[in-house]
Amino acid sequence: MPQSPVPVFETADEISAETSVVVILQTAQAGFGPRAAALDTETGGALSRACSDATVLAESGACIDLITPRAVPARRVIVLALGKADAVTALSLACAGGALAAHLEAKGECAATLVLDPVSGVELPGAEILARVALGMRLRRYRFDMRNRRAGAGADRTLRVQLVGAGGQELNAALARINAIADGVEYARTLVNLPPNHLHPDNFHDHLEPLREAGIDVEILDTARLRELGMNAILAVGSGSVRPPRVAVLRYRGKGAPAQPMAFVGKGVCFDSGGLCIKRGEQMFDMKADMGGAAAVVGLLIALARQGSPVHVVGVLGIAENMPSGTALKPRDIITTASGQTVEVFDTDAEGRLILADCLYYAASRFNPSVVVDLATLTYSVMRGLGSVFAGLFSTDDAIASRMIAAGEKVGERFWQLPLDRAYDEGLQSPFADIRHHAKDMEDGDAPYAAAFLRHFTEDRPWVHLDIAGKELTDKDQPLGREGATAFGVQMLEEWVRTSRVAN
């Protein structure tokens, strides 16, 4: 598997004489703190002259880059603008860190010392400020690359960063958390970025080794076990592929965690051709990423386990390929799901909700969870309805939904709550089965019907359905990541789990 170089962060009390690149973290306030002021003196006032235009420092993420005189030990001093003090947030700091990482890479720099002097007007403590900038640097530096012949192939691209200006114990704790979050995000991105001939139902379990290393129990339910459990919906989805489906069950219980777990269910379709209702060629191109929900669950558990979070979490991943063949699922098939409910199939390209039906029921009935959350790249309609800004959120519990939306706003993964109403059940009625799995002629408004269908398999548990279709990939570089997989949902859920634990 391609390995992305992970930035190395170290704490220091002061700027080392060997430092070649010094980065001053500066809000749009008048004057410098003591360390920056000393550097300004060494450079003959060059820093203060470069920062004399207050509008530059008000632009969070702007990098003011100075090559210093020979008399100054550091050959380069960069002022990283953090914006106006009252507008500084965890997200703006991470984005500023991402901009800094991109700037350092463009300049060919592989080491830097970040310096934070005391700042006024910012609510976050110094350790959190530095850690959030470091998080942005890690996320922006991640890369997935399978090219063997390219300039610099095999070279060490590790970025080494010293952090100066916050208490060691507090900063180390904050760094431990952000590194755990970044570990989860980066691994989820790698899973989605892997091509479908490298990640599929036959080898998915091999790619779960980082979970085992983090102390997470991994159980794989094979075809025989799925049949025993009556999980005929996921078996039907995978019936057209030579690679049979599996379900991965992930369990993590931190020290002091409650007995009742939270359950997270992820759609893991490693490639979605649409089955017999086959997609057009251009629609199929990105369908290696149809397992983005499962990847996000993996990333979340890594993030929680590696920081030793005192929570009890279960993950259930429905892993399959949706392929056309003589044994494939057909429209008008009727399937008896694990819950005992019969489902009439309408569109074989709506395979995700069939997989989730069995996995949601399994999670809800086996583990007695306090809440069930599923993530899935599920419907085109949620993309049409919400565009590129928001992902869709449906929930039976408005309080949970509100906390998730707030968590998403904090980390830049935005969700909009959509209606979950019994009226949508009307479109799911079948004359031959308990329920139809797709509303007839409702392609443009399909997302709420999909959510209404899934609710029938949650055993009346508090439940949240996250339709993240369109958020799993980006076709251009973003402030916190390059072109490719985004791992959308990992940061929001980590923040929601953490704040829910603190609130309780």
Side-chain angles (χ1 to χ4, degrees):
M1 181 182 296
Q3 296 295 313
S4 177
V6 176
V8 176
F9 299 109
E10 299 175 345
T11 60
D13 294 329
E14 292 298 337
I15 303 172
S16 168
E18 288 75 38
T19 297
S20 59
V21 178
V22 176
V23 180
I24 302 297
L25 275 57
Q26 182 76 10
T27 59
Q29 64 185 29
F32 291 120
R35 296 182 183 89
L39 276 171
D40 188 39
T41 299
E42 290 181 31
T43 60
L47 282 181
S48 55
R49 288 193 294 273
C51 297
S52 59
D53 184 354
T55 60
V56 176
L57 291 178
E59 184 183 347
S60 182
C63 295
I64 304 168
D65 197 334
L66 301 175
I67 302 300
T68 62
R70 289 187 177 181
V72 180
R75 59 179 172 76
R76 175 175 245 133
V77 177
I78 300 170
V79 178
L80 175 64
L82 301 182
K84 295 180 180 179
D86 60 0
V88 171
T89 65
L91 177 58
S92 73
L93 291 167
C95 290
L100 174 63
H103 182 82
L104 291 171
E105 186 173 37
K107 298 298 182 182
E109 300 290 358
C110 60
T113 295
L114 273 57
V115 178
L116 176 67
D117 280 323
V119 292
S120 58
V122 178
E123 294 183 0
L124 298 171
E128 184 71 6
I129 292 173
L130 283 168
R132 286 291 170 175
V133 171
L135 175 62
M137 296 182 76
R138 265 203 69 172
L139 297 182
R140 185 61 177 79
R141 287 280 295 189
Y142 167 87
R143 69 168 71 226
F144 179 89
D145 200 338
M146 294 183 69
R147 294 173 295 175
N148 293 323
R149 297 185 180 182
R150 67 185 187 281
D156 183 6
R157 297 192 300 267
T158 302
L159 177 64
R160 291 171 171 82
V161 182
Q162 279 194 331
L163 305 173
V164 176
Q169 185 174 353
E170 293 82 1
L171 181 54
N172 285 333
L175 281 175
R177 179 176 172 235
I178 70 98
N179 275 318
I181 294 170
D183 287 346
V185 169
E186 289 172 358
Y187 197 71
R189 286 178 177 176
T190 296
L191 290 177
V192 175
N193 280 328
L194 283 168
N197 62 325
H198 286 249
L199 179 68
H200 46 72
D202 282 350
N203 71 0
F204 204 105
H205 62 278
D206 293 330
H207 294 280
L208 300 180
E209 191 57 34
L211 291 169
R212 299 181 181 95
E213 293 170 357
I216 297 165
D217 180 70
V218 177
E219 177 186 7
I220 302 297
L221 308 182
D222 62 12
T223 303
R225 183 63 178 139
L226 297 180
R227 288 198 184 99
E228 290 176 8
L229 293 167
M231 298 180 79
N232 298 309
I234 188 171
L235 287 168
V237 170
S239 64
S241 173
V242 296
R243 298 181 173 115
R246 278 88 165 175
V247 169
V249 182
L250 319 173
R251 282 172 285 188
Y252 166 73
R253 187 172 181 178
K255 186 177 180 181
Q260 193 176 27
M262 298 176 173
F264 295 89
V265 176
K267 174 188 172 185
V269 177
C270 301
F271 190 80
D272 179 18
S273 70
L276 292 182
C277 301
I278 198 163
K279 297 176 184 287
R280 299 190 304 273
E282 67 272 17
Q283 292 177 319
M284 232 186 282
F285 187 72
D286 289 333
M287 285 299 106
K288 69 171 188 175
D290 208 20
M291 37 66 67
V297 173
V298 171
L300 170 65
L301 265 73
I302 288 175
L304 295 173
R306 289 195 177 173
Q307 63 182 288
S309 183
V311 296
H312 188 184
V313 173
V314 171
V316 178
L317 315 180
I319 302 161
E321 286 180 334
N322 186 25
M323 302 292 285
S325 78
T327 58
L329 175 71
K330 301 176 291 298
R332 291 287 190 168
D333 280 356
I334 293 180
I335 302 164
T336 302
T337 64
S339 70
Q341 298 174 82
T342 55
V343 173
E344 183 184 16
V345 176
F346 181 78
D347 180 355
T348 66
D349 195 22
E351 83 296 334
R353 65 201 73 182
L354 290 173
I355 290 174
L356 292 176
D358 274 350
C359 290
L360 282 168
Y361 176 77
Y362 180 82
S365 61
R366 177 178 175 184
F367 297 107
N368 185 33
S370 59
V371 61
V372 181
V373 180
D374 76 74
L375 297 91
T377 49
L378 206 64
T379 67
Y380 291 114
S381 74
V382 81
M383 299 160 58
R384 295 190 187 103
L386 297 177
S388 62
V389 178
F390 294 95
L393 181 152
F394 301 82
S395 181
T396 59
D397 188 311
D398 287 341
I400 293 175
S402 296
R403 290 197 297 270
M404 279 195 179
I405 290 169
E409 291 293 322
K410 181 173 180 178
V411 301
E413 294 177 345
R414 306 187 73 186
F415 288 84
W416 193 268
Q417 188 169 3
L418 296 170
L420 184 65
D421 193 279
R422 296 287 180 184
Y424 288 103
D425 287 344
E426 286 293 318
L428 301 175
Q429 291 185 5
S430 165
F432 310 111
D434 292 321
I435 190 171
R436 188 202 299 267
H437 100 294
H438 187 292
K440 190 175 182 180
D441 299 328
M442 284 292 179
E443 179 59 35
D444 288 339
D446 181 40
Y449 287 95
F453 171 81
L454 293 176
R455 184 178 52 197
H456 289 266
F457 303 91
T458 60
E459 295 292 278
D460 293 324
R461 304 280 179 182
W463 168 64
V464 181
H465 165 53
L466 304 175
D467 191 338
I468 59 172
K471 296 293 184 289
E472 68 276 21
L473 294 171
T474 178
D475 59 3
K476 60 183 179 181
D477 289 353
Q478 301 291 337
L480 294 178
R482 304 174 192 271
E483 176 184 357
T486 63
F488 190 91
V490 174
Q491 290 190 74
M492 182 280 279
L493 288 173
E494 188 278 338
E495 178 69 20
W496 172 72
V497 169
R498 185 184 69 84
T499 52
S500 296
R501 174 177 57 82
V502 171
N504 293 332

